[in-house]
Coordinates of all heavy atoms in Angstrom, one line a residue:
M601 N -11.6 -23.2 -16.1 CA -11.7 -22.0 -15.3 C -11.0 -20.9 -16.1 O -10.0 -21.1 -16.7 CB -10.9 -22.2 -14.0 CG -11.0 -21.0 -13.1 SD -10.1 -21.2 -11.5 CE -11.1 -22.4 -10.7
Q602 N -11.5 -19.7 -16.1 CA -11.0 -18.6 -16.8 C -9.6 -18.2 -16.2 O -9.5 -18.1 -15.0 CB -12.0 -17.4 -16.7 CG -13.3 -17.6 -17.4 CD -13.1 -17.5 -18.9 OE1 -12.2 -16.9 -19.4 NE2 -14.1 -18.1 -19.6
T603 N -8.7 -17.9 -17.0 CA -7.4 -17.5 -16.6 C -7.4 -16.1 -15.9 O -6.7 -16.0 -14.8 CB -6.4 -17.4 -17.8 OG1 -6.5 -18.6 -18.5 CG2 -5.0 -17.1 -17.3
N604 N -8.2 -15.2 -16.4 CA -8.3 -13.9 -15.7 C -8.8 -14.0 -14.3 O -8.3 -13.3 -13.4 CB -9.2 -13.0 -16.5 CG -8.6 -12.6 -17.9 OD1 -7.4 -12.7 -18.1 ND2 -9.4 -12.3 -18.8
F605 N -9.8 -14.8 -14.1 CA -10.4 -15.0 -12.8 C -9.4 -15.7 -11.8 O -9.3 -15.3 -10.7 CB -11.7 -15.9 -12.9 CG -12.3 -16.2 -11.5 CD1 -12.9 -15.2 -10.8 CD2 -12.2 -17.5 -11.0 CE1 -13.5 -15.5 -9.6 CE2 -12.7 -17.7 -9.7 CZ -13.4 -16.7 -9.1
L606 N -8.6 -16.6 -12.3 CA -7.6 -17.3 -11.5 C -6.5 -16.3 -11.1 O -6.1 -16.2 -10.0 CB -7.0 -18.4 -12.3 CG -6.0 -19.3 -11.5 CD1 -6.6 -19.9 -10.3 CD2 -5.5 -20.4 -12.4
I607 N -6.1 -15.4 -12.1 CA -5.0 -14.4 -11.8 C -5.6 -13.4 -10.7 O -4.8 -13.1 -9.8 CB -4.6 -13.8 -13.0 CG1 -3.8 -14.7 -13.9 CG2 -3.7 -12.5 -12.7 CD1 -3.4 -14.2 -15.3
L608 N -6.8 -13.0 -10.9 CA -7.4 -12.0 -9.9 C -7.5 -12.7 -8.6 O -7.3 -12.0 -7.5 CB -8.7 -11.5 -10.4 CG -8.7 -10.5 -11.6 CD1 -10.1 -10.2 -12.0 CD2 -7.9 -9.3 -11.2
T609 N -7.9 -13.9 -8.5 CA -8.0 -14.6 -7.2 C -6.6 -14.7 -6.5 O -6.5 -14.5 -5.3 CB -8.6 -16.0 -7.4 OG1 -9.8 -15.9 -8.1 CG2 -8.8 -16.7 -6.1
V610 N -5.6 -15.1 -7.3 CA -4.2 -15.2 -6.7 C -3.8 -13.8 -6.2 O -3.2 -13.7 -5.1 CB -3.3 -15.8 -7.8 CG1 -1.8 -15.6 -7.3 CG2 -3.6 -17.2 -8.0
L611 N -4.0 -12.8 -7.0 CA -3.6 -11.4 -6.6 C -4.4 -11.0 -5.3 O -3.8 -10.3 -4.5 CB -3.7 -10.4 -7.7 CG -2.8 -10.7 -8.9 CD1 -3.1 -9.7 -10.0 CD2 -1.3 -10.6 -8.4
A612 N -5.6 -11.3 -5.3 CA -6.4 -11.0 -4.1 C -5.9 -11.7 -2.8 O -5.8 -11.1 -1.8 CB -7.9 -11.3 -4.3
M613 N -5.5 -13.0 -3.0 CA -5.0 -13.7 -1.9 C -3.6 -13.2 -1.5 O -3.3 -13.1 -0.3 CB -4.8 -15.2 -2.3 CG -6.2 -15.9 -2.3 SD -6.1 -17.6 -2.9 CE -4.7 -18.3 -2.1
A614 N -2.8 -12.7 -2.4 CA -1.5 -12.1 -2.1 C -1.7 -10.8 -1.4 O -1.0 -10.5 -0.4 CB -0.7 -11.9 -3.4
L615 N -2.8 -10.0 -1.7 CA -3.1 -8.8 -1.1 C -3.5 -9.0 0.4 O -3.1 -8.3 1.3 CB -4.1 -8.0 -1.8 CG -4.5 -6.7 -1.2 CD1 -3.4 -5.7 -1.2 CD2 -5.7 -6.1 -2.0
V616 N -4.3 -10.0 0.6 CA -4.8 -10.4 1.9 C -3.6 -10.8 2.8 O -3.4 -10.4 3.9 CB -5.9 -11.4 1.9 CG1 -6.1 -12.0 3.3 CG2 -7.1 -10.9 1.3
G617 N -2.7 -11.6 2.2 CA -1.5 -12.1 2.9 C -0.6 -10.9 3.2 O 0.0 -10.9 4.3
Y618 N -0.5 -9.9 2.3 CA 0.3 -8.8 2.6 C -0.2 -8.0 3.8 O 0.5 -7.6 4.7 CB 0.4 -7.9 1.4 CG 0.9 -6.5 1.7 CD1 2.3 -6.3 1.7 CD2 0.1 -5.4 1.8 CE1 2.8 -5.0 2.0 CE2 0.6 -4.1 2.1 CZ 2.0 -4.0 2.2 OH 2.5 -2.7 2.4
V619 N -1.5 -7.8 3.8 CA -2.2 -7.0 4.9 C -2.0 -7.7 6.2 O -1.7 -7.1 7.3 CB -3.6 -6.7 4.6 CG1 -4.4 -6.1 5.8 CG2 -3.7 -5.8 3.4
V620 N -2.3 -9.0 6.2 CA -2.2 -9.8 7.5 C -0.8 -9.8 8.0 O -0.5 -9.6 9.2 CB -2.8 -11.2 7.3 CG1 -2.5 -12.1 8.5 CG2 -4.2 -11.2 7.0
A621 N 0.2 -10.0 7.2 CA 1.6 -10.1 7.6 C 2.1 -8.8 8.1 O 2.8 -8.7 9.1 CB 2.5 -10.6 6.5
R622 N 1.7 -7.7 7.4 CA 2.1 -6.4 7.9 C 1.5 -6.0 9.2 O 2.2 -5.5 10.1 CB 1.7 -5.3 6.8 CG 2.3 -4.0 7.1 CD 1.9 -3.0 6.0 NE 0.4 -3.0 6.1 CZ -0.3 -1.9 5.8 NH1 0.2 -0.8 5.4 NH2 -1.6 -1.9 5.9
R623 N 0.2 -6.3 9.4 CA -0.4 -6.1 10.7 C 0.2 -6.9 11.8 O 0.4 -6.4 12.9 CB -1.9 -6.4 10.6 CG -2.6 -5.3 9.9 CD -4.1 -5.5 10.0 NE -4.8 -4.5 9.2 CZ -6.1 -4.4 9.1 NH1 -6.9 -5.2 9.8 NH2 -6.7 -3.4 8.4
T624 N 0.6 -8.2 11.5 CA 1.2 -9.0 12.5 C 2.6 -8.4 12.9 O 2.9 -8.4 14.1 CB 1.4 -10.4 12.0 OG1 0.1 -10.9 11.6 CG2 2.0 -11.3 13.0
A625 N 3.3 -8.0 11.9 CA 4.6 -7.4 12.2 C 4.5 -6.1 13.0 O 5.3 -5.8 13.9 CB 5.4 -7.1 10.9
Y626 N 3.5 -5.3 12.7 CA 3.2 -4.1 13.5 C 2.8 -4.5 14.9 O 3.2 -3.8 15.9 CB 2.1 -3.2 12.9 CG 2.6 -2.3 11.8 CD1 2.1 -2.3 10.6 CD2 3.7 -1.3 12.1 CE1 2.5 -1.4 9.6 CE2 4.1 -0.5 11.1 CZ 3.6 -0.5 9.9 OH 4.0 0.3 8.9
A627 N 2.1 -5.5 15.1 CA 1.7 -6.0 16.4 C 3.0 -6.4 17.3 O 3.1 -6.1 18.4 CB 0.8 -7.2 16.4
Y628 N 3.9 -7.0 16.6 CA 5.2 -7.4 17.3 C 6.0 -6.1 17.7 O 6.6 -6.1 18.8 CB 6.1 -8.3 16.5 CG 5.6 -9.7 16.5 CD1 5.1 -10.3 15.4 CD2 5.7 -10.5 17.7 CE1 4.7 -11.7 15.4 CE2 5.2 -11.8 17.7 CZ 4.8 -12.4 16.6 OH 4.4 -13.7 16.6
V629 N 6.0 -5.1 16.9 CA 6.6 -3.9 17.2 C 6.0 -3.2 18.4 O 6.6 -2.6 19.2 CB 6.7 -2.9 15.9 CG1 7.2 -1.6 16.3 CG2 7.6 -3.5 14.9
T630 N 4.6 -3.3 18.4 CA 3.9 -2.7 19.5 C 4.3 -3.3 20.9 O 4.3 -2.6 21.9 CB 2.4 -2.8 19.3 OG1 2.1 -2.2 18.0 CG2 1.6 -2.1 20.3
F631 N 4.5 -4.6 20.9 CA 4.9 -5.2 22.1 C 6.4 -5.0 22.5 O 6.8 -5.5 23.5 CB 4.6 -6.7 22.0 CG 3.1 -7.1 22.1 CD1 2.6 -7.8 21.1 CD2 2.3 -6.6 23.1 CE1 1.2 -8.1 21.1 CE2 1.0 -6.9 23.2 CZ 0.4 -7.7 22.1
G632 N 7.1 -4.3 21.6 CA 8.5 -4.0 22.0 C 9.5 -5.0 21.4 O 10.7 -4.9 21.7
T633 N 9.1 -5.9 20.6 CA 10.0 -6.9 20.0 C 10.7 -6.2 18.9 O 10.2 -5.6 18.0 CB 9.2 -8.1 19.4 OG1 8.4 -8.7 20.5 CG2 10.2 -9.2 18.9
R634 N 12.1 -6.4 18.9 CA 12.9 -5.7 17.8 C 12.9 -6.7 16.6 O 13.2 -7.9 16.7 CB 14.3 -5.5 18.3 CG 15.2 -4.8 17.4 CD 16.4 -4.2 18.1 NE 17.4 -3.8 17.1 CZ 17.3 -2.6 16.4 NH1 16.3 -1.8 16.6 NH2 18.3 -2.3 15.6
Q635 N 12.7 -6.1 15.4 CA 12.7 -6.9 14.2 C 13.8 -6.5 13.3 O 14.4 -5.4 13.4 CB 11.3 -6.7 13.5 CG 10.2 -7.3 14.2 CD 8.9 -7.1 13.4 OE1 8.8 -6.2 12.5 NE2 7.9 -7.9 13.7
H636 N 14.2 -7.4 12.5 CA 15.3 -7.2 11.6 C 14.9 -6.2 10.4 O 15.7 -5.4 10.0 CB 15.7 -8.5 11.0 CG 16.9 -8.4 10.1 ND1 16.8 -8.3 8.7 CD2 18.2 -8.4 10.3 CE1 18.0 -8.2 8.2 NE2 18.9 -8.3 9.1
S637 N 13.7 -6.3 9.9 CA 13.3 -5.5 8.8 C 12.0 -4.7 9.2 O 11.4 -4.9 10.2 CB 12.9 -6.4 7.6 OG 14.0 -7.1 7.2
L638 N 11.7 -3.8 8.3 CA 10.5 -3.0 8.5 C 9.2 -3.9 8.3 O 9.3 -4.9 7.6 CB 10.4 -1.8 7.5 CG 11.5 -0.8 7.6 CD1 11.4 0.2 6.4 CD2 11.3 0.0 8.9
P639 N 8.1 -3.6 9.0 CA 6.9 -4.4 8.8 C 6.4 -4.6 7.4 O 5.9 -5.6 7.0 CB 5.9 -3.7 9.7 CG 6.7 -2.9 10.7 CD 8.0 -2.5 10.0
T640 N 6.6 -3.5 6.6 CA 6.1 -3.7 5.2 C 6.9 -4.7 4.4 O 6.4 -5.4 3.5 CB 6.2 -2.4 4.4 OG1 7.4 -1.8 4.6 CG2 5.1 -1.4 5.0
H641 N 8.2 -4.9 4.8 CA 9.0 -5.9 4.1 C 8.5 -7.3 4.4 O 8.5 -8.2 3.5 CB 10.5 -5.8 4.5 CG 11.1 -4.6 4.0 ND1 12.0 -3.9 4.8 CD2 11.0 -3.9 2.9 CE1 12.5 -2.8 4.1 NE2 11.9 -2.9 2.9
Y642 N 8.0 -7.6 5.6 CA 7.4 -8.8 5.9 C 6.1 -9.0 5.0 O 5.8 -10.2 4.6 CB 7.1 -9.0 7.4 CG 8.3 -9.0 8.2 CD1 8.7 -7.9 9.0 CD2 9.1 -10.1 8.3 CE1 9.8 -7.9 9.7 CE2 10.2 -10.2 9.0 CZ 10.6 -9.1 9.8 OH 11.7 -9.1 10.5
G643 N 5.3 -8.0 4.9 CA 4.2 -8.1 4.0 C 4.5 -8.4 2.6 O 3.8 -9.2 1.9
Y644 N 5.5 -7.7 2.0 CA 6.0 -8.0 0.7 C 6.4 -9.4 0.5 O 6.1 -10.1 -0.5 CB 7.1 -7.1 0.3 CG 6.7 -5.6 0.1 CD1 7.6 -4.6 0.5 CD2 5.5 -5.2 -0.4 CE1 7.3 -3.3 0.4 CE2 5.2 -3.9 -0.6 CZ 6.1 -2.9 -0.2 OH 5.8 -1.6 -0.3
M645 N 7.1 -10.0 1.5 CA 7.6 -11.3 1.3 C 6.5 -12.3 1.3 O 6.5 -13.3 0.6 CB 8.6 -11.7 2.5 CG 9.9 -10.9 2.4 SD 10.8 -11.3 0.8 CE 11.1 -13.0 1.0
V646 N 5.5 -12.1 2.2 CA 4.3 -13.0 2.2 C 3.5 -12.9 0.9 O 3.1 -13.9 0.3 CB 3.4 -12.7 3.4 CG1 2.1 -13.5 3.3 CG2 4.1 -13.1 4.7
A647 N 3.4 -11.7 0.4 CA 2.7 -11.6 -0.9 C 3.4 -12.3 -2.0 O 2.8 -12.9 -2.9 CB 2.5 -10.1 -1.2
L648 N 4.7 -12.1 -2.0 CA 5.5 -12.8 -3.1 C 5.4 -14.3 -3.0 O 5.3 -15.0 -4.0 CB 6.9 -12.3 -3.0 CG 7.2 -10.9 -3.6 CD1 8.7 -10.5 -3.3 CD2 6.8 -10.8 -5.0
W649 N 5.5 -14.8 -1.7 CA 5.4 -16.3 -1.5 C 4.1 -16.8 -1.8 O 3.9 -18.0 -2.1 CB 5.9 -16.6 -0.1 CG 7.3 -16.8 0.1 CD1 8.2 -15.8 0.6 CD2 8.2 -17.8 -0.4 NE1 9.5 -16.3 0.6 CE2 9.5 -17.5 -0.1 CE3 7.9 -19.0 -1.0 CZ2 10.5 -18.4 -0.4 CZ3 9.0 -19.9 -1.3 CH2 10.3 -19.5 -1.0
C650 N 3.0 -16.0 -1.8 CA 1.7 -16.4 -2.1 C 1.5 -16.4 -3.6 O 0.9 -17.3 -4.2 CB 0.6 -15.5 -1.5 SG 0.4 -15.8 0.3
A651 N 2.0 -15.4 -4.3 CA 1.6 -15.2 -5.7 C 2.6 -15.8 -6.7 O 2.2 -16.4 -7.7 CB 1.5 -13.7 -6.0
L652 N 3.9 -15.7 -6.4 CA 4.8 -16.2 -7.5 C 4.8 -17.7 -7.8 O 4.8 -18.0 -9.0 CB 6.3 -15.8 -7.0 CG 6.6 -14.3 -7.2 CD1 8.0 -14.0 -6.8 CD2 6.3 -13.8 -8.6
P653 N 4.7 -18.6 -6.8 CA 4.6 -20.0 -7.2 C 3.4 -20.3 -8.0 O 3.5 -21.1 -9.0 CB 4.6 -20.8 -5.9 CG 5.2 -19.8 -4.9 CD 4.8 -18.5 -5.4
V654 N 2.3 -19.8 -7.7 CA 1.0 -20.1 -8.4 C 1.1 -19.5 -9.8 O 0.7 -20.1 -10.8 CB -0.2 -19.5 -7.6 CG1 -1.5 -19.7 -8.4 CG2 -0.3 -20.2 -6.3
L655 N 1.6 -18.3 -9.9 CA 1.7 -17.6 -11.2 C 2.7 -18.4 -12.1 O 2.5 -18.5 -13.3 CB 2.0 -16.2 -11.1 CG 0.9 -15.3 -10.5 CD1 1.4 -13.9 -10.3 CD2 -0.3 -15.3 -11.3
A656 N 3.8 -18.9 -11.5 CA 4.8 -19.6 -12.3 C 4.2 -20.9 -12.8 O 4.4 -21.3 -14.0 CB 6.0 -19.9 -11.4
L657 N 3.4 -21.6 -12.0 CA 2.7 -22.8 -12.4 C 1.7 -22.6 -13.5 O 1.5 -23.3 -14.4 CB 2.1 -23.5 -11.2 CG 3.0 -24.3 -10.3 CD1 2.2 -24.8 -9.1 CD2 3.7 -25.4 -11.0
L658 N 1.0 -21.4 -13.4 CA 0.0 -21.1 -14.4 C 0.7 -20.8 -15.7 O 0.2 -21.2 -16.8 CB -0.8 -19.8 -13.9 CG -1.8 -19.3 -14.9 CD1 -3.0 -20.4 -15.0 CD2 -2.4 -18.0 -14.3
I659 N 1.8 -20.1 -15.7 CA 2.5 -19.9 -16.9 C 3.0 -21.2 -17.6 O 2.9 -21.4 -18.8 CB 3.7 -18.9 -16.7 CG1 3.1 -17.5 -16.4 CG2 4.6 -18.8 -17.9 CD1 4.2 -16.5 -15.9
L660 N 3.6 -22.0 -16.7 CA 4.0 -23.3 -17.3 C 2.9 -24.1 -17.9 O 3.0 -24.8 -18.9 CB 4.7 -24.1 -16.2 CG 6.1 -23.6 -15.8 CD1 6.6 -24.4 -14.6 CD2 7.1 -23.7 -16.9
W661 N 1.7 -24.1 -17.2 CA 0.6 -24.9 -17.7 C 0.1 -24.3 -19.0 O -0.2 -25.0 -20.0 CB -0.5 -24.9 -16.7 CG -1.8 -25.5 -17.3 CD1 -2.9 -24.8 -17.6 CD2 -2.0 -26.8 -17.6 NE1 -3.8 -25.7 -18.1 CE2 -3.3 -27.0 -18.1 CE3 -1.2 -28.0 -17.4 CZ2 -3.8 -28.2 -18.5 CZ3 -1.7 -29.2 -17.9 CH2 -3.0 -29.3 -18.4
K662 N 0.1 -23.0 -19.1 CA -0.4 -22.3 -20.4 C 0.6 -22.6 -21.5 O 0.2 -22.7 -22.7 CB -0.6 -20.8 -20.2 CG -1.8 -20.5 -19.4 CD -3.0 -20.9 -20.2 CE -4.3 -20.6 -19.5 NZ -5.5 -21.1 -20.2
L663 N 1.9 -22.7 -21.2 CA 2.8 -23.1 -22.3 C 2.7 -24.5 -22.7 O 2.9 -24.9 -23.9 CB 4.2 -22.7 -21.8 CG 4.6 -21.2 -21.6 CD1 6.0 -21.1 -21.0 CD2 4.5 -20.5 -23.0
A664 N 2.5 -25.4 -21.7 CA 2.5 -26.8 -22.0 C 1.1 -27.4 -22.4 O 1.0 -28.5 -22.8 CB 3.0 -27.6 -20.8
E665 N 0.1 -26.6 -22.1 CA -1.3 -27.1 -22.3 C -1.6 -27.6 -23.8 O -2.1 -28.7 -23.9 CB -2.3 -26.0 -22.0 CG -3.7 -26.5 -22.1 CD -4.6 -25.3 -21.7 OE1 -4.2 -24.1 -21.7 OE2 -5.8 -25.6 -21.5
P666 N -1.2 -26.9 -24.8 CA -1.5 -27.4 -26.2 C -0.9 -28.8 -26.5 O -1.5 -29.7 -27.0 CB -1.0 -26.3 -27.1 CG -0.9 -25.1 -26.3 CD -0.6 -25.6 -24.9
S667 N 0.4 -29.0 -26.1 CA 1.0 -30.2 -26.4 C 0.5 -31.4 -25.5 O 0.5 -32.5 -25.9 CB 2.5 -30.1 -26.3 OG 2.9 -29.8 -24.9
L668 N 0.1 -31.1 -24.3 CA -0.4 -32.1 -23.4 C -1.8 -32.6 -23.7 O -2.1 -33.8 -23.6 CB -0.3 -31.6 -21.9 CG 1.0 -31.4 -21.3 CD1 0.9 -30.8 -19.9 CD2 1.8 -32.8 -21.2
I669 N -2.6 -31.7 -24.2 CA -4.0 -32.1 -24.5 C -4.0 -32.8 -25.8 O -4.8 -33.7 -26.0 CB -4.9 -30.8 -24.5 CG1 -5.0 -30.4 -23.0 CG2 -6.2 -31.1 -25.1 CD1 -5.9 -29.2 -22.8
N670 N -3.2 -32.4 -26.8 CA -3.2 -33.0 -28.1 C -2.5 -34.3 -28.0 O -2.7 -35.3 -28.6 CB -2.6 -32.1 -29.2 CG -3.5 -30.9 -29.4 OD1 -4.7 -31.0 -29.3 ND2 -2.9 -29.8 -29.8

């Protein structure tokens, strides 16, 4: 699989997660529930939790790939 395609897919999934989490947080505010942080902060956290682990594994794989395959 192409690395560029994988990175774009992960970033697209992080963007979708950001939008969904932010809209969910705004929905809770609409119902009058008090939140600790701003709704965009919840979106940022979901995006980071989606993207960072996958990108870290991808970097580790790219570093270790030559020695593992040979």
Side-chain angles (χ1 to χ4, degrees):
M601 183 181 295
Q602 295 284 339
T603 306
N604 294 337
F605 178 71
L606 185 60
I607 290 173
L608 286 176
T609 304
V610 169
L611 292 177
M613 288 173 43
L615 180 65
V616 169
Y618 169 79
V619 170
V620 169
R622 191 182 58 149
R623 285 187 182 184
T624 304
Y626 275 124
Y628 280 114
V629 170
T630 303
F631 289 124
T633 305
R634 183 161 168 80
Q635 293 182 339
H636 182 266
S637 300
L638 293 173
T640 52
H641 291 140
Y642 293 106
Y644 291 142
M645 290 302 295
V646 169
L648 287 175
W649 276 103
C650 288
L652 287 182
V654 176
L655 293 176
L657 285 175
L658 180 65
I659 290 170
L660 287 174
W661 173 252
K662 285 298 182 183
L663 291 175
E665 182 182 19
S667 63
L668 290 175
I669 290 180
N670 292 331

